[in-house]
Amino acid sequence: MSVRTPRTKSRWFAKQKERDPAAIASVVGMAVWRLGLHSIKRMRSARFEIEASPQYFAFLREYLIFLVQVADRFALARLTLPERRVFTVNLAKQIARLVAENESELLGGDHDAMRSRFLDTFNERADAYAECSFAEDSGPGFDFVRLCSHLLLDVMTEQDRAWLIDQIMSIEAPEAVDRLRQVIDNLVRTAGAIVSHEEPEQDGPFPEMPAVDAPVDDPIPPE
């Protein structure tokens, strides 16, 4: 039985309205989250063992970090550098919160520690993904997706490792990347203007974000 790609919001209903990069990140964050869950659901349908256990969230963390890195590279071609930084920092924080909320609810444990673990891993992976190729027309290069696949090997059972790389590189990643590009393109295209209401951080070049866990004083503005 096939698993459908989840429908996600990909445009503003009130078109041509000024948008903040943080608001764009909030919508992209839900798309990233749903795409991550969809890939796990499809892989489980294909008989990969990804149980509702710490293994499930270990897999989800690595795959979501990959998708956030992809979204960041797409943002690079569509936003100014300060806007991109606001977008990616808010996106990483949102995904960290969603992972922590779901993991702590399902498995128990400290929510804040789980959130920090996601952000720590995100920052560690940023250095590795920074060395990988990415093109606007074709998306992440072979090395970019291969890195994700090899990081996921560590959380899979022995019997699934032989099939994992092909599943991620041939099926899961290409479909998720295409969908993510569509979402970001439509959100940017239907925004009247993009104006940041946050002061951009000045330390460190992208994609490294040493201050990704800095607190946000202002909430994400409503639509």
Side-chain angles (χ1 to χ4, degrees):
M1 181 178 67
S2 62
V3 179
R4 293 183 180 180
T5 302
R7 296 184 63 184
T8 56
K9 176 177 178 180
S10 62
R11 54 178 52 83
W12 306 108
F13 291 111
K15 295 182 180 180
Q16 306 310 315
K17 182 179 177 181
E18 181 182 287
R19 302 292 176 180
D20 189 290
I24 297 174
S26 70
V27 179
V28 174
M30 291 311 301
V32 165
W33 177 251
R34 289 170 182 168
L35 288 169
L37 296 181
H38 172 70
S39 284
I40 290 180
K41 182 178 181 180
R42 182 160 57 183
M43 290 182 67
R44 293 175 77 173
S45 295
R47 301 185 182 276
F48 283 88
E49 290 189 22
I50 306 176
E51 302 300 329
S53 66
Q55 180 216 14
Y56 181 100
F57 287 97
F59 184 101
L60 188 60
R61 274 193 300 273
E62 286 292 356
Y63 191 63
L64 291 175
I65 287 171
F66 163 75
L67 293 178
V68 173
Q69 290 289 332
V70 170
D72 168 69
R73 303 310 192 275
F74 283 140
L76 173 62
R78 293 158 178 80
L79 305 175
T80 66
L81 186 59
E83 291 166 352
R84 176 203 181 195
R85 191 172 188 86
V86 171
F87 168 85
T88 304
V89 168
N90 278 275
L91 178 58
K93 289 179 179 180
Q94 180 184 7
I95 298 302
R97 175 179 57 78
L98 287 168
V99 171
E101 287 176 354
N102 283 269
E103 186 175 7
S104 61
E105 182 177 344
L106 182 63
L107 302 181
D110 187 276
H111 172 281
D112 291 342
M114 292 171 176
R115 179 177 178 274
S116 295
R117 177 170 56 183
F118 179 92
L119 293 170
D120 288 344
T121 305
F122 178 85
N123 285 325
E124 290 173 9
R125 302 293 185 251
D127 290 336
Y129 280 112
E131 300 297 323
C132 298
S133 58
F134 194 100
E136 169 54 26
D137 57 344
S138 57
F142 177 86
D143 54 346
F144 203 110
V145 183
R146 189 171 184 270
L147 173 60
C148 171
S149 302
H150 277 266
L151 290 169
L152 289 170
L153 282 175
D154 291 338
V155 304
M156 299 302 292
T157 61
E158 187 67 34
Q159 65 222 42
D160 287 337
R161 289 175 184 170
W163 312 106
L164 174 72
I165 292 179
D166 184 62
Q167 179 77 15
I168 295 296
M169 298 193 68
S170 300
I171 300 175
E172 305 304 333
E175 181 175 311
V177 168
D178 285 345
R179 182 58 184 153
L180 198 50
R181 186 207 307 267
Q182 293 172 20
V183 169
I184 296 173
D185 275 343
N186 287 336
L187 289 173
V188 172
R189 178 176 54 82
T190 56
I194 300 175
V195 179
S196 177
H197 301 292
E198 294 187 33
E199 287 296 324
E201 300 172 38
Q202 300 298 323
D203 55 326
F206 258 97
E208 297 84 326
M209 292 183 293
V212 69
D213 200 19
V216 177
D217 295 328
D218 300 320
I220 297 174
E223 288 190 37

